[in-house]
Amino acid sequence: IAVMHDLNLTAAFADHVVMMRDGRVVASGEVQQVYTSENLSAAYGCRIDLSVPVSAAAPVIHPGVVVNA
């Protein structure tokens, strides 16, 4: 068991992840199930995009740009 905030490092090594926000579980399961743009955006409160390179076993996280109008 480990607590990690580096999403890309977590994706590379974890078999099971629990994503939380404000002490509540947003999603839980295998990285490919939990790491979705919808779940990541809900957990971090900003748009998060991700990609899965063909050569990679895990997704790569790309924080979005948030513009406050």
Side-chain angles (χ1 to χ4, degrees), residues 8-36:
N8 292 311
L9 185 63
T10 302
F13 292 101
D15 295 322
H16 185 96
V17 295
V18 176
M19 186 178 298
M20 300 180 74
R21 178 180 178 129
D22 297 327
R24 295 189 182 341
V25 174
V26 172
S28 176
E30 294 180 8
V31 172
Q32 287 77 7
Q33 297 169 324
V34 173
Y35 276 30
T36 66

Side-chain angles (χ1 to χ4, degrees), residues 50-60 62:
L50 63 121
S51 62
V52 183
V54 175
S55 62
V60 177
H62 307 282

